[in-house]
Each structure stands twice: as structure tokens, then as C-alpha cells.
Amino acid sequence: MTSQGFFDACRTVVPADAAAASAATELQARLTKPRGSLGSVEDIGIRLSAMAGTCPPPVPAPVTVAVFAGDHGVVAEGVTPWPQEVTAQMVANFCAGGAAINVLARHVGAEVVVVDVGVATPIPTDSNALVRRNVAPGTRNLAVVPAMTTEEAVAALDVGLDVALQSIAAGARMVVTGDMGIGNTTSAAALIAARSGRSAAEVTGRGTGIDDAMLERKKVVIAQALSRLAPDAEPLVVLAELGGLEIAALCGFVVGAATRRVPVIVDGVIAAAASLMATAFVPEVIDYLIVGHRSSEPGSSVVLEELGLAPVLDLGMRLGEGSGAALAVPTVQAAAKILREMATFDSAGVSDKAGPSN
Amino acid sequence: MTSQGFFDACRTVVPADAAAASAATELQARLTKPRGSLGSVEDIGIRLSAMAGTCPPPVPAPVTVAVFAGDHGVVAEGVTPWPQEVTAQMVANFCAGGAAINVLARHVGAEVVVVDVGVATPIPTDSNALVRRNVAPGTRNLAVVPAMTTEEAVAALDVGLDVALQSIAAGARMVVTGDMGIGNTTSAAALIAARSGRSAAEVTGRGTGIDDAMLERKKVVIAQALSRLAPDAEPLVVLAELGGLEIAALCGFVVGAATRRVPVIVDGVIAAAASLMATAFVPEVIDYLIVGHRSSEPGSSVVLEELGLAPVLDLGMRLGEGSGAALAVPTVQAAAKILREMATFDSAGVSDKAGPSN
């Protein structure tokens, strides 16, 4: 599909179009509604215009959800109650269409692509739907050694880039981040702490549901990993040290979408960590990010603050898989349709409000 | 369609089914996701089961949005910068398909029914789509006299009831509240203050965008109207005193849906006021209410607190028309599909988490 590597791709990301954003802002003011009355939906429409470089923006469809799966050596530290085999079992569940992300993607008319970028155990499926791009059978234990070599990290970045470019070449005009990996909230929290300068305590949450003792253990593990990092460590080193393979792939995926000026809906804390890393490699990537929801994991809110982005949904979700981002798809598409389909005060013969603030 | 009046209908509302809710709660725990990880989406699914009396619940579709339009005599007090004719002009815009609610309803696959229950000026449309059930040409000025007679209030309640029952007879399995009426945030705020015991200052907002002077005037007007009411005034008296015709119709609409155990998605502050009144007439109505979004109007948050309900969306919207509620439709439907379509741990061969909290 592409011989372009991740770092070449990074150099081709351009900022979103300020002129298109201005045109959309001006159009919002002429539509038959009080100015600003659609709240964030207006902002999303303006940003979609800027991403596409045209006003009104195209409706961002079709949509592809890419679910990247990888395992984490840090599970050896007892940071999760789930057996590692669940990663592979859930990949099979994704391929069979029975997981939450399958239900939600079907509901919003999105396609699901499942990518094995680093599953450690045999995947109990013979589905053709599975994209087999396994870089390594899980990461190493980030508590004690770098989770990945930089070569592995680059290979995983390239997998994500390729999946984005292939999805877009196949017609996708919006993409959604998905993830699966037992232990991956530990890796994500560590990355978010490293890039934001927050402490392990501030970014660490209960993931899929752990008890107090496990939560304390998780914070210690993350603090231990962070202590290895130089304060000025380059993004690639941070990513390799803390993992994971699916997070690196998501980082490449996000950058890939940005190179094609395609909006990316970012899911929960795993995708938030990957997006934060992506903006470390290429700051302009932020122009193409739409945060689908605020996860109940604390790291999600830290990234929202770091990036200065507001989430579309805030439903207390913490599943991952792309589930919260998929649920945001209809609202994002609606924002484009508002700009494309609403009547203006002039065209509808509706009086604008009186007074000097007209 | 029906010879049943509003008060007869009130007596037929039954509470939602606790056994179906329990069954749905138990099913949520067997689906291939950590328990509780879909946040409010799980709660919505459980409530849909209770409303329908069956687990899993049916997918709540087709959906009808009913937009009730009425004018408000209180505009004489200078509480809005918009000319009163805008109500009629927007009704024509709804019939022509150019308003935000038309765009959003089309997007989520919902039908829009537009009902003139109290528009004061000629409606510039000859559309057959308009349901003409005008009870009176706007309310009287609630600052100085009762907005409606109790007979007018009952007639408007009956209009809303009829529209709900007709929509459901025509196939709707979920309904969405919509409203249009220049000046109606004043009436809604007054009703919310009256039923919640909050002060005018606490419930009054800027509506479609008013300046500080107008906001102060609005608070004075509301306080003046409230001072006429006995503390123990009956719901019908409160409704008649404070208006409006479209709010009374929405109250009847909500009760009508509840009589048929059909979920109602409640839009912004106007619908919140109507829903609060509906629960005053029939407390069990609350079991069938889903609050579509948190409006930026303060009265919306007061009602959420009074009813103890969480909104689906929180996007800073304040348009009305049913716009925020319509945007919540996909999430509500998704909640039903999660229960209907997801695999269980057993069926998918996925290991449940280890430990005593299994």
C-alpha cells in the first residue's frame, strides 16, 4: 500500500485550514438558530470545515474503526485481575462480531478492522477479517525493562500508519481508534505521566476494575518505570520504554489520518495516550483529533486538559475497544449536516433578532 | 383517535417493571465487557427494559419528534430580543425542513410532527404537515395575569396527549419532545421555580441570548408571577398561571407516552419544565423519561436534580426544538442493542476476570 514510513509521514501533516474555519463560523451565524445555541456541535462543524479545507464540510462518512490488539509484559506485576489470554479471546470475539464495539459500529454504520499488532497468545479464530501484523508477542515488563526496542516501536507505528492509509484508500472519510490489550491502562497511564509531567498517582485509574491493593501496586509500577526516563527523552524513546505495541500502532494510525486530513475520533485513555504521543511527534496532528468521550480513567481527563480539547460524550464509559468514540460518530456527522442542510435567516424568511448585537 | 382526556390518561400510567430491570442488570454482567464499563449506557439499557417490561428491551424505533409551538404574552415585558413573528416563521421553517430539528431528526431517522397549539400570528405556510390544534393565539402576560385559563390549559394538555397517542398508534416506539415559542424560557423558568421552590434568580437564564439588563428584567417578571401563587397551588393552577400552551401540550405528550410505556426523550429547559409538571400530575411518569441533554439554561440543571436523572448529552446546547434530545437518539438506541446483540462470556469463550469479585 505504502512504502512511506512513519517519520516520512509525519513531515507531510499540514495544519487545518483557518480560512475554512472562518467561513464556517460566519455561516453558523446566518443559520436559523440563535448564535451559539448548538454549543459544541457548532464548534465541531467549524473544526470539520478546517480539517477538510472547505465550507460547508463534507459529511464525514464512511467511517472505519480500527481495533489494534497487543499484550503487555507488565501483567507479570499483578496490575490486572484478567488473564492475558483474554486479549486473544476478545480479538476472536471482535472477528465474530459479538463485542461491544461490533454492536456500536454496526449501529452507527461503521466498519470494524481488527489488527493483531502484538497479541502474545494464540488467537482462537480463523477469520479472514483479522489483519495479522504481529510485531512481537506482547511487550516486555515495563516495570523493569523497556517495553519495546525502538525498532519494535517503529514497526508498530508503521502498522498503524498503514492501516489508516489503507482504510482511507478504501473510502473511509473518518476513522475511529479502537484498542484491546490486557494491562494496557498501565502502559497508557505511564505514557501520559511521562508526557504531561503528572505523577503516577494523578494519572492512574482502576482500568477494567481493580481493587485498592492492585491500584497501589499499579501506581508503584508506573512510578518505577518513569524513574528510568530522562526528563528530556525523545518521544520515540518514551514510547519504546513504556509501550505498548497497540498504543504505538494507534499513534501511527492517528498520524496517518492527519496526513490525509481525515478526522480521527479518539476513544478512551489508551487512545488518549496514543494521541498525546502523536502530538509529541507532530504538533499539527491535534487539528484532526476529535475526542469521542471522557473516559472515567483519570488519564483521559489529563490528556483532554493537555490538548485543550473537549470530549463529545461524557457517559462514564471505560471499556475501550473504540466504544465511546463510536458512539460519538452520529454527533460528529450531525455537526457537518447542520452546516450543509440548515436554512439561513434569509432563505427561510425568518427575522433575525432585534438590537445592536445583530 | 381518542376520547380519553388528560386526567383519565393520568390514571392509566403504571410504574416501570422492576423484574425486567433486574433481568437486564443481570444480563449486563454476563456480556463480554468489564462490569459497569459502559457507564450510563448500561443504565439506559436497564431502564429501557423496565419501561418495556422485557429483557432485552426492544430497540426503541421508529422515533417521532413532536414540535409544539405557542406564543407568550409575556414578550410584552421585554424579556426577549426576538420579534414574536419568529414563532410563526420558524413553524413554517419546520414544515419546509430547514430548521436544526429537521436536519437532526433526518440524521437519526426520526419523523418530525409540527403542532400549532398556540401561535399568535399567521403562519406563513400552506403545508399539510402542520397539525393545526390552536387552543388560543398565545398566552396572556404572566407578569400580570394568569397565562391561561384552566380550560385552555386542559385543552393544551389534551392536544399533547392526542399527538402522543396518535404517533404511537402510527408506529412510534420512542418519542422526542420539541418546542418553539418566543418568550418560552420565561414561562419554563417560572414553572420550574414554582415546582422546585427555587428562586427566580436560580432558575432564570439568558434563553436565546439576552443581555444583562434583559436578564434582570426577566428575573423580576418571574418573581412577580410567582408571588401570585399559593404555596400549595395544584399543578393545573400552576400550569395555567405560568403557561405556556406548548408547555402544557408537552406535559400531555409526556404523559401520553408513559400511558403506552413508550420512552420519551426530554429536550432542554422547556421540556424539562413540562416533564416536571407531568411528574406533578403523575409521579410514575418519571420511569419513562430519558433526559436527552443538559441545556446551558440553569433551569435544566435544576430539573435534572429534582428528578434525579442524568442527561445523555452535555454539549452546551440551548436551542430547543428538540435538537438536543434528537441527538441523544442514537445513544439510547445503542443501549438497547448492547443488551440484544452482545455476546456473553460463555457464548464467546472469553474468560471472566479472576478473583472473588467474579
Side-chain angles (χ1 to χ4, degrees), chain B residues 135-136 138-140 147-157 245 248:
Chain B
V135 170
T139 55
R140 292 166 201 87
M148 301 182 274
T149 63
T150 52
E151 290 73 18
E152 286 167 342
V154 170
L157 286 163
L245 290 153

Side-chain angles (χ1 to χ4, degrees), chain A residues 49-341:
Chain A
S49 280
M51 294 180 205
T54 174
C55 174
V59 176
V63 179
T64 296
V65 183
V67 184
F68 295 93
D71 274 305
H72 294 261
V74 73
V75 297
E77 300 291 329
V79 291
T80 170
W82 297 82
Q84 186 169 61
E85 291 69 26
V86 169
T87 303
Q89 291 165 351
M90 284 300 297
V91 168
N93 196 17
F94 298 144
C95 292
I101 187 56
N102 302 105
V103 175
L104 298 174
R106 279 197 297 271
H107 180 55
V108 303
E111 188 196 12
V112 176
V113 173
V114 187
V115 185
D116 168 15
V117 64
V119 178
T121 63
I123 298 173
T125 185
D126 53 6
S127 170
N128 291 327
L130 180 61
V131 178
R132 296 175 189 272
R133 293 286 300 269
N134 192 294
V135 169
T139 56
R140 292 167 201 87
N141 181 355
L142 66 87
V144 287
V145 293
M148 301 183 272
T149 63
T150 51
E151 290 73 17
E152 286 167 342
V154 170
L157 286 163
D158 283 343
V159 169
L161 174 68
D162 286 353
V163 171
L165 298 183
Q166 284 165 18
S167 297
I168 295 162
R173 289 299 170 266
M174 183 153 70
V175 296
V176 172
T177 70
D179 65 273
M180 179 69 218
I182 297 300
N184 65 5
T185 61
T186 300
S187 180
L191 287 166
I192 292 167
R195 290 298 311 174
S196 68
R198 310 288 180 102
S199 70
E202 284 174 279
V203 299
T204 308
R206 292 178 189 273
T208 50
I210 61 179
D211 61 20
D212 290 348
M214 215 172 243
L215 180 62
E216 286 314 306
R217 178 78 198 126
K218 194 168 163 182
K219 289 176 186 170
V220 168
V221 162
I222 290 169
Q224 200 172 318
L226 291 171
S227 70
R228 279 202 312 274
L229 280 177
D232 59 349
E234 286 184 10
L236 184 62
V237 172
V238 173
L239 185 59
E241 279 283 344
L242 305 175
L245 290 153
E246 84 281 37
I247 299 178
L250 279 169
C251 179
F253 180 73
V254 164
V255 170
T259 66
R260 294 295 185 269
R261 306 187 65 164
V262 163
V264 189
I265 311 190
V266 176
D267 191 42
V269 71
I270 309 304
S275 300
L276 193 61
M277 290 309 305
T279 61
F281 287 111
V282 202
E284 292 79 9
V285 161
I286 195 171
D287 287 359
Y288 302 92
L289 301 179
I290 295 171
V291 178
H293 76 125
R294 182 190 298 277
S295 157
S296 59
E297 280 287 292
S300 163
S301 293
V302 169
V303 172
L304 289 173
E305 215 174 289
E306 289 288 315
L307 298 180
L309 294 173
V312 179
L313 301 174
D314 190 354
L315 292 164
M317 295 173 72
R318 53 178 171 82
L319 175 58
E321 302 181 3
S323 53
L327 261 184
V329 165
T331 297
V332 175
Q333 292 177 330
K337 289 187 178 177
I338 287 291
L339 283 167
R340 296 181 68 83
E341 300 180 15

